[in-house]
Every structure is written in structure tokens, then in C-alpha cells.
Amino acid sequence: MSPSPHLCCCYLQTLPPIFHKASLNYRHKPPQNPNAAERKQKLYVACGSRGSKPSTPKKDDYHATLKALNSKGRSPRKSLGQNYMLNADVNDQLVGVAGVEEGDLVLEIGPGTGSLTNTLINSGAFVLAVEKDKHMAALVSERFSSTGKFKVLTEDIVKCHVRSHISTLVGSTEEINSDTRKAKVVANIPFYISTDVIKLLLPMGDIFSEVVLLLQEETALRLVEPSLRTPEYRPINIFVNFYSDPEYKFTVARTNFFPQPNVDAAVVSFKLKPPSEYPQVSSSKSFFAMVHSAFNEKRKMIRKSLQHICTSLEIEEALESIGLLSTSRPEELTLDDFVKLHNLITKE
């Protein structure tokens, strides 16, 4: 059924102006501490075509997004964190960051109207999309099912059995490279599920080689550039670096989305470590339990917050043996420090 003229008028009034390449608001994000100076040189501005795929006749933009939403009589749902990308150049850059090639299997989360999906398929990838909104799932299914390079699951990514779906696809689809380490994640995800998605995907280094996410800018900075002895340094930073090597890529201005959020976004690449390269701990479960216990009482010294594991004296001795003060607090310990401490005080 065609949307009513009133509905179309509503969208046209709500959407921001159409963008031109010359006016895109991309920028480097300066490092948050002196140790990140080298990383600053690696960041790049997402506005050119160097290293990106050639333009295709059907690039999604302002008008394509409007038409797709109207075709289903839909408006973005705040409860699902739906903010649709209006700028095809951002999608090109996301795919470029992940180095997507012919035969790659790519997991996309929340494809929406399919603007990023379109770029991924044009890059030669087979896309497994997970979309919670049944209307958007139907839309992308109709749009891409004929390509032979697309499958959509109408599921909540946080509850989805990703590993099982990936294994099934690799075993049944000839177009997919059989080396599952070629599988990648490329997604513009709802900001409110960022932490849940990261906790779900980063430990899958046996399946995925890289996870490229478009996140809220503040979240991206906290994940990539945390400083010791600051409130921003949290257990999630230990988790991220345990399983991956994160890198801040570029900022995406809020004006590139519909509806426009109150914050800018940023693209982060997580290069996943294979299991053989994880820090050597006797148990990852007990390791992260220890880290969370330490941070649950940040104002306390570790010798007090970890007394449920062993005595204060044993903790003091362990801290001193790895070159730390016996009065150390959790925000003063690096990932390597926590690993060494765990292996010294945990009795399996």
C-alpha cells in the first residue's frame, strides 16, 4: 500500500538537509592522553575515495531512506534506538575500515533500510543480518533476497546464537569463504546496546577477525583511550583489551542520521585476538570476576576489596612481587597487572 501524502510530508519536514561531500563533517578525534600520539597519525578522515570501492548506481542516501521508510509506512522507533544513516559515504568508509572482500561473511546488526547492507553486498560479501524490527527485516529481505548473498534473522542480537548461525551458513553456502576467520562484523548499532554487543562478540576470536562498529562518540573514546587513574578506566576496558586491539577510526557527525541524535558518533575497529593469543589466565571467568570485584569498590585498596579471594597480606605480597605498591587501587592496574595478580592469588 502506498503511503499517504500526509505521511510523506511529515518525513520531508523532519529529515535534515541533503549532504554534499564537500560539507561532510568528518574529523580526527585528538588523542585523550600523551601515550596516544602515535595512534593519532593512524586515524584518517572519511571523505575521500582512496582505497574505497567505486561508486555504484544505487547508493542509498536521503531520498532512498525516505522512500524505504514510506514503503512500509514506518517511522523510526526510539525504543529500538533506530537512527538511520543518510550518508552513503559513511557506509563506504565502514566497509573500507573492515577491508571487506569478495567471499567474506559479514554479520550486520540492525540493517534498517539496508543502506549499509547494499554497500557490503556490492563489495562481494555475503551478509547475515540480525534485525529485531520485523517490518525492517521484511524490507531488507524483499530488497536483497534475489542477490543470493543475503540472509536476515528476525531476532534480538543480544539473545541470538551467533556462533551457531555462522557455522551453519559457512557449511551450507558456496559463496562464503570456508575460512571462518575471514568472517567480520560491520554494523551501525543502536547506541543503547553497545556494551551488550561488545561483550557478546569480542570473545568470538575463533570466528571473527574484526568487529567494526559505529558507536556513540563518548563510548568510543572510553573504550579506546582510557587513562589509568581516571574515572573513565573501568572493567570494560580490561575486557576489550583482553580480547581485542581496539582503534578509534573517525568521527561521524550527528547530522548524518535520521532522526538526528543528540550526540556525534564514531567508528571503532576491534581487531579480535584468536584464543591462542588471549592473556594466559587459569580461568577467564574467575579473572573477570576478580576484576569486577576490584572495581566494585574503587575507592578501596585492592588488598581490601579482594579479601574474599585470599588474605590482605597475601595480596600485598603479590602486588609487591609484580612491582606495584601494596596500597594500589584498581584504576592503577593495567591488563597485564591484573593478569599477573590473578595468577598469583587465585587458587584453582
Side-chain angles (χ1 to χ4, degrees):
M1 181 181 294
S2 299
S4 68
H6 175 75
L7 181 59
C8 292
C9 179
C10 175
Y11 281 130
L12 287 168
Q13 290 174 347
T14 306
L15 286 167
I18 301 174
F19 295 94
H20 300 284
K21 281 188 178 182
S23 64
L24 295 179
N25 185 19
Y26 298 115
R27 62 187 184 276
H28 292 305
K29 193 69 184 179
Q32 301 301 296
N33 59 67
N35 295 331
E38 182 179 350
R39 177 170 293 166
K40 180 179 180 181
Q41 298 176 357
K42 297 180 181 179
L43 305 183
Y44 65 92
V45 179
C47 60
S49 59
R50 180 183 298 180
S52 60
K53 296 287 182 181
S55 297
T56 58
K58 291 182 66 177
K59 274 202 170 187
D60 287 40
D61 57 10
Y62 170 100
H63 296 294
T65 301
L66 174 66
K67 183 178 179 180
L69 287 170
N70 284 344
S71 73
K72 293 293 180 184
R74 306 300 296 169
S75 59
R77 294 176 61 185
K78 186 176 181 180
S79 63
L80 295 180
Q82 292 175 333
N83 296 93
Y84 297 110
M85 174 58 62
L86 299 177
N87 192 330
D89 293 324
V90 175
N91 293 328
D92 287 341
Q93 291 294 327
L94 272 167
V95 174
V97 165
V100 176
E101 300 176 347
E102 188 77 32
D104 283 354
L105 171 58
V106 175
L107 174 68
E108 184 186 4
I109 302 163
T113 60
S115 61
L116 176 57
T117 315
N118 188 42
T119 305
L120 288 166
I121 290 175
N122 285 334
S123 299
F126 186 102
V127 178
L128 173 63
V130 180
E131 174 59 71
K132 187 176 181 179
D133 186 330
K134 64 180 181 179
H135 300 283
M136 293 297 101
L139 187 154
V140 291
S141 181
E142 292 169 8
R143 180 176 180 183
F144 299 111
S145 59
S146 63
T147 65
K149 288 180 169 288
F150 179 77
K151 180 177 180 179
V152 62
L153 304 170
T154 309
E155 296 185 30
D156 182 344
I157 183 61
V158 178
K159 301 176 183 178
C160 183
H161 296 288
V162 173
R163 190 179 299 276
S164 175
H165 288 301
I166 292 291
S167 298
T168 301
L169 269 178
V170 171
S172 63
T173 309
E174 293 182 359
E175 290 84 357
I176 299 174
N177 190 314
S178 60
D179 179 6
T180 55
R181 279 288 295 170
K182 285 284 187 180
K184 298 168 182 175
V185 182
V186 184
N188 167 17
I189 62 175
F191 292 160
Y192 78 97
I193 64 168
S194 297
T195 301
D196 289 334
V197 168
I198 287 168
K199 288 182 176 179
L200 172 71
L201 298 176
L202 264 55
M204 295 186 182
D206 56 324
I207 292 180
F208 298 114
S209 61
E210 187 169 6
V211 174
V212 177
L213 300 177
L214 200 158
L215 307 167
Q216 182 176 331
E217 183 182 31
E218 182 181 354
T219 300
L221 288 170
R222 285 181 174 176
L223 290 175
V224 178
E225 299 289 356
S227 298
L228 292 174
R229 302 177 181 85
T230 66
E232 287 72 30
Y233 190 62
R234 303 173 183 180
I236 189 64
N237 299 116
I238 304 297
F239 181 91
V240 166
N241 286 281
F242 188 97
Y243 290 113
S244 73
D245 293 313
E247 185 174 349
Y248 187 111
K249 289 297 185 178
F250 59 90
T251 305
V252 181
R254 67 194 73 181
T255 49
N256 288 289
F257 298 92
F258 167 61
Q260 181 174 309
N262 296 323
V263 294
D264 291 334
V267 172
V268 175
S269 166
F270 302 90
K271 294 288 180 67
L272 301 196
K273 300 174 183 177
S276 60
E277 295 181 11
Y278 295 163
Q280 295 300 301
V281 294
S282 55
S283 165
S284 59
K285 183 177 180 179
S286 67
F287 172 74
F288 287 112
M290 183 198 77
V291 171
H292 280 280
S293 293
F295 277 91
N296 279 342
E297 301 181 81
K298 287 186 69 173
R299 295 183 181 181
K300 286 189 176 182
M301 292 177 283
I302 286 179
R303 68 185 184 191
K304 294 184 179 295
S305 60
L306 298 183
Q307 285 185 91
H308 63 287
I309 298 177
C310 60
T311 67
S312 294
L313 180 59
E314 288 175 307
I315 296 171
E316 289 179 13
E317 291 175 346
L319 287 169
E320 291 174 351
S321 73
I322 60 176
L324 297 174
L325 296 175
S326 61
T327 55
S328 294
R329 289 177 166 79
E331 65 270 21
E332 298 172 331
L333 272 66
T334 64
L335 167 62
D336 189 51
D337 293 333
F338 272 114
V339 169
K340 291 177 180 177
L341 179 63
H342 173 271
N343 292 340
L344 286 171
I345 69 173
T346 303
K347 301 176 178 64
E348 294 295 338

